[in-house]
Amino acid sequence: MEAELTVTANEVVKLSSNGHQTEVNQQNQDQDKKKKKKSSSKNLSTSSIWRIEDSEALYRIEGWGQPYFSINAAGHVTVSPKGDRGGSLDLFELLQSLKQRNLGLPMLIRFSDILEDRIKRLNACFDQAIARYNYSGIYRGVFPVKCNQQRHLIEDLVKFGQPNQFGLEAGSKPELMIALALLDTPGALLICNGYKDEEYIETAMLAQKLGQTPIIVLEQIEEVDLVIKVSQQLGIKPIVGVRAKLSTQGMGRWGTSSGDRAKFGLTIPEIIRAVDKFRDANLLDSLQLLHFHIGSQISAINVIKDAIQEASRIYAELALLGANMTYLDVGGGLGVDYDGSQTNFYASKNYNMQNYANDIVAELKDTCEENKLTVPTLISESGRAIASHQSVLIFDILSTSEVPSILPEPPQDGESQVITYLWETYQSINQNNYQEFYHDAAQFKEEAISRFNLGILSLRERAKAEQLYWACCQKVLNITRQQEYVPDELEDLEKIMASIYYINLSVFQSAPDCWAIDQLFPIMPIHRLDEEPTRRGILADLTCDSDGKIDRFIDLRGVKSVLELHPLKSGESYYLGMFLNGAYQEIMGNLHNLFGDTNTVHIQLTPKGYQIKHVVKGDTMNEVLGYVQYDTEDMVENIRQRCEQALEEKHISLAESQKLLQTYEKSLSKYTYLVS
Ligand SMILES: *Cc1c(COP(=O)(O)O)cnc(C)c1O
């Protein structure tokens, strides 16, 4: 379901156009920001009033959000969808106006302008590198459809990519169908990857006749004969590429995408066999492209450099063997700085887009010069780097659960000795003894539980002992938070004492990588950022699955186990945003506990405000039940019959049965998430 709406709201502040800035300039800015950050964190400890800057530093929004996300004076997250080119809107106010349009949470908000900015940025970086190194070839990027196949996004991508002849990469037959139907930019490339059968190859080759530029990339040695056969049958000379298994290993989670035992690609001996076969079939001039992909989210630039060096050598050798080498396709892997640390940590990257483009262009130029070859057209298949920033997932908090924080009364006469011990421990904890007394408290609590199990401590006494124990933990925690160094054994205390924030979201549906591969996404409140977040919490989702939680958050160094959050205010909603999650999450999300797709809106800036371009309603219960083969009409009928029977047996009144039936039927056409 979908609707088009136009709004000219007053949410948009200043719209200026001061030209496009590539990431080169940004690097220097980033350095400055780093220095600034140091001074702001100093202020953090000296000033007692919480400021917006403190929230900026705490949630590291400059690190990962630049140039799209920041915080305004009202303490709300703002979005600048055009990056440095001006125009911004208040995310909290945008959410309010979307809620007034009867759109429930959780909600995925897509900013089409961010998508456009990412494409422009990537192209600008390559153009700049090409100019800088006097490279005589061009760059022709493609977007890997697998990264986010949603129609509105692919349509936008093709449209925004037109000025740069940006193309698409398909990794399967269904993705090929999408790419063939949607890509209509003259000169843009259509890279055909993935496993192929005769039908796939035929379709790709025939697309040439429609004016497309499909390039069939061989991923398996078996595909060589198939391509030759189909080419001869159709009398079409295809453009063919080979995917090489580089010996350069990627790193981290996707490190095994390369190397001799990788799932895809041809080994060097296989590439030689392919060359010989194409020569024998008189098709060697069809072999024009070399492709490699060493994995996604490459955090270290040296890995990319090594891969380019190896690939450019293979490229040159293929040209010397007589292949008509014209294109080098460096695959994906361009990373996203999820934690904003600019390091080679897996959730970050120690290079920027410009460094990436520079290294590719420079290496190719050198190798081709050495071998007196014309430089290739450069192709990259960046998915994550293009699609991550454009969507923000907004969700609300249903309730929280805290560790009991009421301080119990002092011990009473007749109460167990262990309570007195705990009370005394609690009273005496200070900066010098907290480590020792923390252990004492734990021991006394254990003691209390054994006494309870032996029948010599009452339930009320046990409650008091437990409360005293938590009070001790809280006191120790308050001390450790002031310390530079936290003893190892106390590191978990923050987690043990964390509040649980119940979120109106399914991690399995909306952020599956959090659960499946421990991916980190920046998460923060989108309002109240002028207020100190005094709670530390973990997030627990709606599913009845203990894995449905988020307890790993970005941090300056590594990962933190709790997130700083605000206490809930009664009668007021509290909203969190998960950022940079536009790549891979939507299609990988699953229907665990039958929580369906969330509502999605597409927002585009206009000179006067913004426009809601598309509303894609999330799944209803009818829809998710249909996925698992229920016929909801039958289900309603079943309930109706049972109501009639209960009526006849006088277990239910007519009014009650009508209410049940109506609620049941109405619910089925509604959102699978909670209404708060
Ligand atoms: C997944 C994939 C990509 C996209 O990788 P990113 O790291 O998201 O840019 C590109 N090419 C191939 C062959 C892929 O399998």
Side-chain angles (χ1 to χ4, degrees), residues 143-144 146-147 169 171 193-194 219 243 254 257 264 291-293 295-298 329-335 356 380-386 583-584:
F143 177 77
K146 83 154 190 276
C147 190
E169 181 258 7
N193 283 341
E219 304 239 23
R243 175 167 177 171
W254 294 279
S257 302
F264 310 100
H291 167 52
F292 68 90
H293 172 70
S296 201
Q297 184 63 12
I298 305 290
D329 175 355
V330 301
L334 176 55
Y356 176 79
S380 77
E381 304 175 346
S382 289
R384 190 182 293 277
I386 294 281
Y584 301 112

Side-chain angles (χ1 to χ4, degrees), residues 596-631:
D597 275 346
T598 65
N599 289 325
T600 303
V601 295
H602 288 243
I603 303 290
Q604 195 164 19
L605 285 190
T606 63
K608 287 197 194 132
Y610 65 87
Q611 192 181 30
I612 303 174
K613 292 281 282 186
H614 312 283
V615 173
V616 185
K617 284 277 210 173
D619 286 326
T620 62
M621 288 188 228
N622 270 319
E623 285 166 318
V624 296
L625 290 169
Y627 297 148
V628 278
Q629 295 87 47
Y630 290 93
D631 183 328

Side-chain angles (χ1 to χ4, degrees), residues 148-215:
N148 194 325
Q149 303 94 337
Q150 307 293 323
R151 173 167 66 90
H152 298 303
L153 187 129
I154 298 291
E155 282 174 354
D156 274 353
L157 222 132
V158 169
K159 185 176 78 189
F160 298 144
Q162 261 158 10
N164 300 102
Q165 288 175 291
F166 213 69
L168 294 173
E169 181 258 7
S172 65
K173 282 209 275 186
E175 288 180 0
L176 177 69
M177 302 297 138
I178 295 176
L180 283 177
L182 268 66
L183 188 62
D184 56 0
T185 309
L189 303 176
L190 199 169
I191 303 289
C192 306
N193 283 341
Y195 295 114
K196 298 166 201 73
D197 56 12
E198 204 166 318
E199 226 174 42
Y200 181 129
I201 293 168
E202 255 175 29
T203 313
M205 277 190 207
L206 285 167
Q208 249 172 268
K209 305 261 170 178
L210 300 179
Q212 304 261 34
T213 316
I215 303 184

Side-chain angles (χ1 to χ4, degrees), residues 64 297 299 335-350 518-522 552-555 558-559 580:
W64 54 260
Q297 184 63 12
S299 301
V336 165
D337 196 355
Y338 293 99
D339 70 5
S341 66
Q342 300 179 7
T343 60
N344 66 357
F345 188 57
Y346 68 87
S348 186
K349 57 176 179 141
N350 66 0
D518 283 345
Q519 160 116 36
L520 294 169
F521 294 104
R552 300 171 72 259
F553 304 95
I554 62 158
D555 200 5
V559 177
L580 310 186

